[in-house]
Amino acid sequence: MGQAMTGPLYIADTADARSLMLEGLTLLFHPASGMTHILAPPSPEILAALAEPGNAEAVLARLSTQFDFAPGEGAEALEARLAELESSGLVRRA
Amino acid sequence: MRHEVRLRVGPVTFRVGSAWRGPVRALRRLYEGYPEAGDVADYTVRLEPAKPWRRWLRPSVRIEGDYVLPDAAPLPLAHGLVAAEMAMNLQMALGERRFLLLHAASVEKDGRALIITGESGAGKSTLSAMLGERGWRFMGDEFALLDPDSGMLHPFPRPISLKNEAIAAMEAEVAPERFGPVMENTPKGRIRHMRPRAEALARMSEQARPAMVLFPRFGFAREVRPVGPAEAFMRLTQASTNYVAMAARGFDALTGLVQTCPGVAIDYPDAATAFELIETLWAEAGR
Amino acid sequence: MSAALLVRALRDPESLPLDCDWTSLISAARAEALIGTLAHRLQDLPLPERVAGLFAMHRADAERTRVQALWDAEMARRALAPLGVPVVLLKGTAFLAAGLEAGQGRSIGDLDILVPKDALTEVEQALIGAGWERLKPADGYDDFYYREWMHELPPLIHRERDRMIDVHHTILPPTARPKPDAAALLADSLVLPNGLRMLSPEDVIVHAAAHLIADGDMAGGLRNLWDIDRLLREFAQAEGLWGRLAERAVHHGLDKAVRRSVRLAHRLYGTPVPKDWRGTGDGLFVRRLLSRDGWGRRTRKATGFGFYVRGHLMRMPPLMLARHLLKKARA
């Protein structure tokens, strides 16, 4: 938990992206890379939460209004999603 | 090159050059009744000897052209028509960017198009050939060309590449002059090309609005299952040779297609069942 | 000969008759990887409808290529930023990132970057950590060959994006006779708006010339020469380019290659060049550059073979070549 407090700042890199929700999945065309991503929750919500820079803990706080996390829960899953989003280029270090 | 023929298939024109007379003569015969190709060819294809002496000695045809795969295996000269067809497919798959290309057959009725997509062996050629003889307009058996600006489907009615058992089935209901030579032991087994009906050729500039996307599977008991738009989108990106290259236009075209067209997966044990299923689904969708 | 028609179309688009052999021109341009460039050059001319449609398609494709190349560069930047080493973009991607005219419509293959030699290992590790992987197992002979005798790491490919990156530590293999000053290449590189770097204008031209002349069989030569033409025209707008270029070429041991490239650009593309940069004696190179027919085929195979052997020998001393072929045969 302490690590999240000091962890890196992230920001979404989805300027001008086109997205469309179909059957609970978000299809997202990312113009900077020319790639199409198919995202399941909570990845679209993480991207929305990262419209402003934030570290993992801040993202978790922003998401807790939409998702029901038990205390101490969610941090690990969030790290995994953040890593995926960063490797796809949809999220970068702020 | 020594021998040359120009061909037009739907909105696309080809220049085919060959080191031998045979493939060009066979192409001319097979494409009889196709419209004039005009002055400018979109793509150039070359049928060349694999090695210089291979023009005479056990001649083998190397597929060359504007766009090539480095590891395409040469074919015997007797399969020159297959080589030409593969070469033209390659130009489309690797070069074409005006249309979103779906690896799919298509047929039309009442101005609306049915897209039939699937892996090799799913029955694209067989089903579209059969439908084309039974009240539908044949639009293509290999590529469906989706116009990203209008969402319309362009015909690409090249001669149908019938394989193995499908050959005898079509020979039973189609006049012999519409068939090319039988080619044994090609990479896809026995192949015989069949020219589409004259009406399909006369109307090859006439587009149609897509109305349904069919995902058939051959060799299974009769089964029908709706395919939702998200799954259809994913499967069609896999079935497209240029989805990524089309960038945002590809995204818009394909999301537009899956949102306006219902998708249906069918399993069928034989062509008769598939025909009955398609007619029923089409009638229901039209209501 | 359609390569000549292609050169004329690029050099002087207005001189092209409306009824020229478009099919041959287009085939030759595709074969030379100059179709996007041609589509841009002829954009504002009256064209047959089908040709105009094809060119619009190729311009759109070149734009997509540009986006993808810059994205590749950006992902490499993100992966390498923590190392704090200079990362210099080379070739087409650099032209695009700098907004140079040479980048307009240009085809782009792999991403080529230059880094300090002593940073090679950490660069490779950082790239592997960010999703690139080796094309072949690390212990193969090819891998050894690259490390021992080449000016770059074995190519890495990104496992999701399916894109290759070539990491160089200089611009010619260590086995080639000219020994470019890699430290100077890095030291004089310029920072681009995206935080990556590009070579200085003179070094960009030296590199392009090294590619054209020293790289061997001159395949793709018309495209490389077009780069040189556009670069010279653009950089010559700054005072004193020619003097700096002459000095720099000598410094890197690439004087002959640079001078020949400049002469060839002048001769084929009409590049404005000072008198003392002109000259003759390039007939063989010109014939080789123009050896493309209207079907997109390479003509003059014999000349081609001569060039291939020459290219290979220039990069590898004979003994090494023999060893290389021997190991290849054993593998």
Side-chain angles (χ1 to χ4, degrees):
Chain A
M1 285 267 72
Q3 201 188 355
M5 185 83 81
T6 56
L9 279 180
Y10 296 97
I11 188 166
D13 189 2
T14 50
D16 303 322
R18 306 174 185 213
S19 75
L20 173 75
M21 177 94 108
L22 287 179
E23 301 178 273
L25 295 172
T26 299
L27 312 186
L28 183 142
F29 179 77
H30 183 222
S33 64
M35 289 190 293
T36 301
H37 301 273
I38 299 172
L39 304 173
S43 294
E45 290 79 6
I46 294 174
L47 289 176
L50 280 172
E52 302 288 324
N55 62 13
E57 196 182 349
V59 173
L60 204 56
R62 290 170 199 172
L63 289 182
S64 62
T65 58
Q66 300 166 59
F67 293 89
D68 237 353
F69 298 114
E73 224 183 49
E76 209 171 301
L78 177 65
E79 296 282 356
R81 297 292 86 73
L82 274 174
E84 285 166 13
L85 290 170
E86 189 184 11
S87 111
S88 70
L90 293 175
V91 157
R92 62 178 163 81
R93 302 291 166 104
Chain B
M1 301 203 67
R2 251 163 237 267
H3 307 282
E4 174 183 340
V5 58
R6 306 265 182 142
L7 304 171
R8 173 201 292 275
V9 185
V12 186
T13 55
F14 297 94
R15 170 176 68 158
V16 182
S18 169
W20 305 269
R21 187 191 308 277
V24 161
R25 200 165 30 184
L27 282 168
R28 285 222 171 88
R29 202 170 299 148
L30 190 59
Y31 280 81
E32 224 175 78
Y34 277 68
E36 285 293 311
D39 284 341
V40 180
D42 294 317
Y43 301 106
T44 291
V45 153
R46 309 193 309 264
L47 306 177
E48 294 187 337
K51 293 273 188 298
W53 60 86
R54 284 302 187 96
R55 217 178 112 214
W56 304 282
L57 187 70
R58 276 177 289 126
S60 73
V61 184
R62 198 177 59 202
I63 295 170
E64 290 283 354
D66 289 347
Y67 299 94
V68 289
L69 284 181
D71 47 2
L75 293 169
L77 182 55
H79 297 163
L81 273 181
V82 177
E85 172 191 309
M86 285 166 76
M88 288 191 276
N89 284 347
L90 214 52
Q91 306 313 305
M92 296 293 285
L94 301 177
E96 186 52 56
R97 306 282 189 265
R98 292 167 294 190
F99 313 100
L100 182 72
L101 244 67
L102 301 172
H103 190 212
S106 52
V107 290
E108 176 261 355
K109 206 191 240 186
D110 312 321
R112 301 181 309 138
L114 169 67
I115 297 172
I116 306 172
T117 183
E119 310 265 308
S120 296
K124 291 190 298 293
S125 295
T126 311
L127 296 179
S128 58
M130 177 182 71
L131 292 166
E133 302 301 318
R134 300 186 189 174
W136 297 69
R137 170 165 67 113
F138 173 82
M139 291 180 72
D141 76 328
E142 183 79 27
F143 291 124
L145 315 183
L146 188 62
D147 191 315
D149 299 321
S150 64
M152 298 289 277
L153 208 64
H154 289 256
F156 189 65
R158 43 156 234 195
I160 302 152
S161 182
L162 297 169
K163 284 148 222 125
N164 305 319
E165 293 77 25
I167 297 172
M170 293 318 295
E171 283 169 345
E173 53 184 300
V174 173
E177 60 267 21
R178 280 175 51 202
F179 287 93
V182 178
M183 289 169 284
E184 304 283 356
N185 302 318
T186 79
K188 292 175 179 173
R190 169 196 281 210
I191 284 190
R192 188 166 198 191
H193 291 99
M194 181 183 107
R195 194 185 316 128
R197 296 173 76 94
E199 189 217 358
L201 302 185
R203 293 172 64 193
M204 68 160 65
S205 302
E206 200 180 302
Q207 303 155 37
R209 170 110 12 229
M212 183 185 288
V213 184
L214 196 69
F215 300 88
R217 235 172 26 144
F218 170 67
F220 294 87
R222 185 187 194 282
E223 181 76 63
V224 179
R225 179 177 70 83
V227 175
E231 184 189 344
F233 179 85
M234 279 182 261
R235 291 175 74 163
L236 289 171
T237 56
Q238 297 304 307
S240 172
T241 59
N242 66 354
Y243 172 76
V244 174
M246 294 288 287
R249 297 171 77 219
F251 181 82
D252 291 345
L254 206 52
T255 50
L257 180 71
V258 300
Q259 287 181 97
T260 52
C261 275
V264 187
I266 63 166
D267 289 355
Y268 67 100
D270 52 60
T273 307
F275 182 68
E276 173 255 307
L277 268 173
I278 290 169
E279 291 284 356
T280 309
L281 289 165
W282 190 256
E284 283 169 7
R287 260 192 264 120
Chain C
M1 187 108 77
S2 280
L5 181 63
L6 173 60
V7 166
R8 172 178 163 192
L10 290 170
R11 174 181 174 155
D12 188 8
E14 313 254 323
S15 77
L16 223 51
L18 198 60
D19 64 346
C20 80
D21 184 353
W22 293 103
T23 304
S24 296
L25 176 62
I26 288 166
S27 270
R30 284 182 180 147
E32 294 288 344
L34 275 163
I35 187 72
T37 308
L38 183 69
H40 271 283
R41 288 291 282 169
L42 304 190
Q43 183 163 10
D44 298 325
L45 294 179
L47 297 170
E49 192 185 336
R50 186 167 289 274
V51 176
L54 280 175
F55 284 173
M57 161 177 114
H58 283 294
R59 282 193 298 272
D61 201 41
E63 171 56 18
R64 200 253 329 170
T65 301
R66 188 185 72 88
V67 166
Q68 188 172 46
L70 292 179
W71 179 252
D72 270 355
E74 168 62 12
M75 290 307 272
R77 186 194 67 76
R78 291 181 193 181
L80 299 177
L83 304 183
V85 300
V87 178
V88 180
L89 295 176
L90 299 174
K91 304 185 200 168
T93 309
F95 307 161
L96 292 173
L100 296 177
E101 213 197 311
Q104 191 157 69
R106 196 181 185 281
S107 71
I108 306 278
D110 308 337
L111 171 63
D112 293 280
I113 61 171
L114 175 79
V115 300
K117 190 172 186 187
D118 56 16
L120 274 181
T121 309
E122 50 175 337
V123 164
E124 186 177 29
Q125 287 314 311
L127 290 172
I128 287 172
W132 278 269
E133 47 196 33
R134 298 213 176 98
L135 265 182
K136 293 171 184 164
D139 56 356
Y141 166 69
D142 280 326
D143 202 61
F144 173 74
Y145 162 76
Y146 268 101
R147 278 161 209 285
E148 197 72 354
W149 288 326
M150 291 300 279
H151 54 309
E152 60 199 23
L153 290 173
L156 300 169
I157 189 160
H158 196 277
R159 62 169 169 261
E160 271 138 39
R161 297 203 309 279
D162 204 26
R163 303 277 304 160
M164 303 246 282
I165 186 168
D166 284 324
V167 182
H168 305 249
H169 58 82
T170 182
I171 52 172
L172 281 179
T175 51
R177 223 164 304 155
K179 300 271 187 276
D181 181 351
L185 292 171
L186 285 164
D188 293 344
S189 61
L190 312 171
V191 183
L192 291 163
N194 62 4
L196 293 163
R197 310 179 76 90
M198 70 175 287
L199 297 175
S200 72
E202 298 78 37
D203 282 345
V204 167
I205 292 167
V206 170
H207 184 209
H211 240 276
L212 177 70
I213 306 294
D215 221 31
D217 74 346
M218 314 254 324
L222 280 183
R223 208 274 310 270
N224 290 338
L225 192 65
W226 179 256
D227 285 347
I228 291 170
D229 168 74
R230 293 293 111 176
L231 293 167
L232 284 171
R233 285 172 194 263
E234 198 160 355
F235 293 155
Q237 288 165 19
E239 199 60 41
L241 168 84
W242 297 101
R244 288 195 303 275
L245 179 60
E247 247 170 62
R248 201 64 172 178
V250 170
H251 179 77
H252 287 304
L254 283 159
D255 183 46
K256 273 174 78 174
V258 168
R259 289 194 172 264
R260 189 184 296 279
S261 300
V262 170
R263 288 198 304 273
L264 287 167
H266 174 66
R267 178 153 164 191
L268 289 183
Y269 292 129
T271 320
V273 155
K275 272 222 174 61
D276 58 327
W277 283 81
R278 296 177 199 170
T280 52
D282 304 312
L284 193 63
F285 286 82
V286 170
R287 283 198 293 283
R288 186 63 192 147
L289 284 166
L290 295 181
S291 64
R292 180 77 66 184
D293 73 6
W295 287 89
R297 290 179 298 183
R298 212 64 196 270
T299 54
R300 300 174 185 275
K301 298 277 188 225
T303 327
F305 183 68
F307 266 79
Y308 178 73
V309 170
R310 181 177 159 282
H312 220 100
L313 289 177
M314 273 183 73
R315 292 201 308 206
M316 292 180 99
L319 185 65
M320 277 191 201
L321 181 64
R323 241 151 72 192
H324 174 63
L325 294 174
L326 208 64
K327 288 198 192 177
K328 274 280 194 203
R330 279 192 203 136

